[in-house]
Amino acid sequence: MKTLVMVAHPNLETSVINKAWKNRLIQETDMTVHDLYAKYPDGKIDVVFEQQLLLDHDRIVFQFPFYWYSSPSLLKEWQDMVLTYGWAYGSEGTKLRGKEFVLAISTGGPETAYQAGGYNLFSMSELTKPFQATANLTGMRFLPTFTKQGVRFLTQEQVHESAEELVRHLKKNY
Ligand SMILES: Cc1cc2nc3c(=O)[nH]c(=O)nc-3n(C[C@H](O)[C@H](O)[C@H](O)COP(=O)(O)O)c2cc1C
């Protein structure tokens, strides 16, 4: 099982949690950690390179901080450019079929905010529906999401522990 972790954070230097996750995941030999903002500072995606990377892996992970109830913009641009008709979807677009797909998301808001009656109204399962639909359309199996919430108030120890939890989550058989 080869896992591709696509890290999408526009400023990893100031990041706490996504930087810690990335630094932990690069130690795993069966994982490829792909830092999108580092690879494409000009925002111009190399579609052939990205599609080959996807073909070379079985489990695809999108790791990002939650920005306006979604991902940072370069990951959306990546989806628009890379998941093309006839490749990722459409009757001939079968290249991702049978792969697995996982989200790993950090949020500033606490878990309690993400529910009916909470200040963000909706759960993470509801807010990540576009990703679930994308996995469905491209024939990938959507696996349970890894979330770490209320991240501003985490201790160094909790940040460290969340990175270990993430490794276990991404290596698990579902
Ligand atoms: C532009 C922007 C939008 C954000 N939108 C949300 C949001 O919709 N929900 C939320 O819980 N936190 C939101 N946040 C907080 C980030 O999710 C939080 O700072 C991030 O997960 C921390 O991860 P890091 O330490 O890797 O930067 C936002 C932050 C920024 C800068």
Side-chain angles (χ1 to χ4, degrees):
M1 161 81 68
K2 283 176 75 189
T3 299
L4 173 64
V5 184
M6 319 243 321
V7 179
H9 192 301
N11 194 356
L12 268 183
E13 270 140 54
T14 61
S15 157
V16 175
I17 193 104
N18 283 274
K19 185 166 64 186
W21 289 355
K22 180 189 168 188
N23 289 340
R24 177 62 187 84
L25 294 176
I26 56 178
Q27 296 169 27
E28 296 298 312
T29 50
D30 53 354
M31 291 189 193
T32 305
V33 178
H34 182 40
D35 180 343
L36 272 191
Y37 279 90
K39 171 96 179 153
Y40 301 113
D42 60 0
K44 293 206 182 87
I45 311 271
D46 180 341
V47 174
V48 173
F49 176 84
E50 295 298 320
Q51 289 181 338
Q52 189 57 49
L53 211 48
L54 290 169
L55 292 174
D56 292 342
H57 294 82
D58 313 295
R59 184 174 280 183
I60 314 300
V61 183
F62 283 3
Q63 181 205 310
F64 57 87
F66 217 33
Y67 277 11
W68 287 111
Y69 308 110
S70 187
S71 68
S73 56
L74 186 58
L75 187 55
K76 180 60 167 61
E77 172 72 2
W78 180 95
Q79 292 169 75
D80 297 351
M81 300 308 293
V82 177
L83 305 181
T84 50
Y85 177 76
W87 193 87
Y89 71 100
S91 58
E92 313 269 293
T94 57
K95 302 290 193 204
L96 298 176
R97 225 173 254 179
K99 294 185 188 294
E100 296 176 329
F101 182 69
V102 189
L103 296 174
I105 305 175
S106 63
T107 74
E111 209 177 329
T112 50
Y114 283 92
Q115 59 178 320
Y119 69 78
N120 284 318
L121 286 181
F122 302 107
S123 68
M124 292 301 287
S125 285
E126 290 171 301
L127 293 166
T128 56
K129 280 193 191 298
F131 294 102
Q132 298 168 40
T134 298
N136 173 64
L137 192 71
T138 57
M140 293 193 283
R141 190 154 76 96
F142 190 88
L143 301 181
T145 297
F146 181 84
T147 46
K148 196 69 197 172
Q149 305 200 262
V151 296
R152 264 170 305 169
F153 304 106
L154 297 182
T155 63
Q156 199 57 24
E157 183 53 38
Q158 288 169 321
V159 169
H160 175 79
E161 181 48 36
S162 81
E164 297 304 323
E165 280 170 34
L166 175 59
V167 172
R168 287 194 290 274
H169 187 99
L170 296 185
K171 283 176 164 267
K172 199 167 152 182
N173 286 320
Y174 293 88

